[in-house]
Structures are given as C-alpha cells and as structure tokens.
Amino acid sequence: MAESPRVAPLTVDDIPALLPHLVRNALESGRDGEPFSRARSADDPPDTSAIAERLAVTWARPVDVPGWERGFGLWVGGELRGHLDLIGGEIESELHRAHLGMGIERPHRRAGWGSRLLGDAITWARGAGLAWIDLGVFTHNAPAHALYVKHGFVEVGVTVDRVRIDGQSLDDRAMVLRL
Ligand SMILES: CC(C)(COP(=O)(O)OP(=O)(O)OC[C@H]1O[C@@H](n2cnc3c(N)ncnc32)[C@H](O)[C@@H]1OP(=O)(O)O)[C@@H](O)C(=O)NCCC(=O)NCCS
C-alpha cells in the first residue's frame, strides 16, 4: 500500500529529493494565472548545486550561530512535493528572528498541507527559542496571504515596485509573527 503523505523536518540526506521539487515549484511561479511566489522569473531556475552546497552547511548549524537554516517537507509517495524553509539571522543581533519561505506543488494544494507545514515550523521555532518569524509575500498572492493571516502573521508594510519580473512590477507585503 502507498505510504500516506506526511510532513517532516528535512535532513541533509533529503537534499537530493528537495532539489527537483524546488525546480518544479519555481516553474509554477507567475505562470498559468498563478501569482508570483519567488523574486525571479520562472525562466530563471534555482541554482541547485549552489543550494545543495549551502544547505549541507546551514542545516547543520546550531540556531545560536549566524547563518543557520532549517527545512520542512511534504512527502508524497516518496517524493517531496512541498517545502518550508526558515533562514536565521545573518549576524548575532538578528539571531532571535528567522525568515520564512514555502511552496506546495499545485496538485497538492488546498488539502491542508501548507497549514500543516507552517504550524509545524511555528512550533519548532517556539521550541528553539526564537522570538519572531518574518516573511515577504507579493500583494497579489491572495492564497499565501490568507494562509499567513490564518496563522497569526500581521502586516508591517508594503514595498511598492519591490521587484520587476517578466515586465511586471510587484509590490511586496512584509509580515511578521511574534512567537
Ligand atoms: C500558499 C500555499 C503554500 C498554501 O498551501 P495549501 O496547502 O494550498 O494551503 P492549505 O490547504 O493548508 O490552506 C490553508 C489556508 O490557506 C488559505 N488558502 C490556501 N489556498 C487558498 C486559496 N487558493 N484562496 C484563498 N485562501 C487560500 C486559506 O486560509 C486556507 O484555510 P482554509 O482551508 O480554512 O480556507 C500554496 O498555495 C502555494 O504553495 N502557493 C505557491 C507558492 C507560494 O505562494 N508560496 C508562498 C510565497 S510567500
């Protein structure tokens, strides 16, 4: 019988499964009527070797060391179909905060997995002693905005014309969650 989908923290052993998911996820951004969810064109795919090299180091860093990262994944039938990443502060004075990004591949959306990933990451961040989670979401990305509001994130401002992708100017909404 096929294994049920599940959400779990990611380890270095999961990096080979994460990379093709990140590529699939990037190809969906801003395409086929979907809002942009990353600050690059879908024609500009993620640099998978650079990501693999970086995560092998940053996922192993303790959370009291600048430059730490953590990942959480949605596994479906042995493949990663969703991810959430937390990126810790770059310098010592930012170590109480993490920046969040996430994405679920289209066929697996609206089934509660985004909410589950976010809930698990928030619980982990509280347990790790963090004080804030920060994120940026393009103002036209209504599904993601609704998800973040549902989990208690509040808006702290909008940067107009934050990026220009494929000839389109996008405004970015900064949101925070006090843990
Ligand atoms: C945003 C995203 C992660 C949501 O994941 P998901 O698994 O579909 O979300 P869930 O099924 O867990 O839904 C949780 C809540 O999110 C909100 N939501 C999700 N999809 C929505 C939609 N299409 N329209 C409105 N609200 C939506 C709702 O509040 C929903 O709660 P409800 O089911 O009680 O109404 C997913 O749409 C996605 O990956 N989008 C592309 C990438 C992206 O935008 N990432 C965020 C970049 S900042």
Side-chain angles (χ1 to χ4, degrees):
M1 206 169 72
E3 201 188 322
S4 304
R6 65 189 171 89
V7 162
L10 296 175
T11 70
V12 171
D13 291 343
D14 300 324
I15 291 174
L18 176 65
L19 301 175
H21 156 69
L22 292 179
V23 171
R24 290 190 293 269
N25 189 59
L27 282 171
E28 292 178 339
S29 176
R31 291 284 157 88
D32 301 323
E34 177 161 320
F36 284 95
S37 54
R38 64 196 281 268
R40 292 171 189 272
S41 167
D43 295 332
D44 185 2
D47 180 345
T48 50
S49 22
I51 293 172
E53 223 170 280
R54 190 188 84 226
L55 294 180
V57 176
T58 59
W59 278 356
R61 275 196 188 123
V63 293
D64 57 356
V65 175
W68 65 265
E69 299 191 37
R70 292 294 182 276
F72 301 81
L74 165 63
W75 293 95
V76 183
E79 293 197 331
L80 268 176
R81 295 294 178 176
H83 76 282
L84 183 151
D85 51 79
L86 288 176
I87 302 181
E90 294 262 306
I91 53 174
E92 190 130 350
S93 56
E94 292 176 338
L95 280 172
H96 58 302
R97 315 187 74 95
H99 188 93
L100 182 148
M102 65 185 298
I104 309 274
E105 290 177 40
R106 199 178 293 138
H108 303 283
R109 293 187 197 153
R110 297 255 57 180
W113 295 116
S115 211
R116 176 65 196 279
L117 270 173
L118 188 51
D120 282 13
I122 290 169
T123 301
W124 179 88
R126 286 202 174 106
L130 301 184
W132 297 90
I133 297 179
D134 304 299
L135 61 84
V137 54
F138 295 128
T139 54
H140 73 164
N141 192 347
H145 179 250
L147 171 67
Y148 298 139
V149 168
K150 188 174 173 176
H151 283 264
F153 284 79
V154 295
E155 177 181 326
V156 289
V158 170
T159 305
V160 173
D161 197 21
R162 178 70 180 81
V163 294
R164 298 179 185 180
I165 310 173
D166 299 338
Q168 198 176 325
S169 166
L170 298 174
D171 300 343
D172 189 61
R173 175 179 282 120
M175 301 185 83
V176 298
L177 176 71
R178 186 194 285 270
L179 293 164

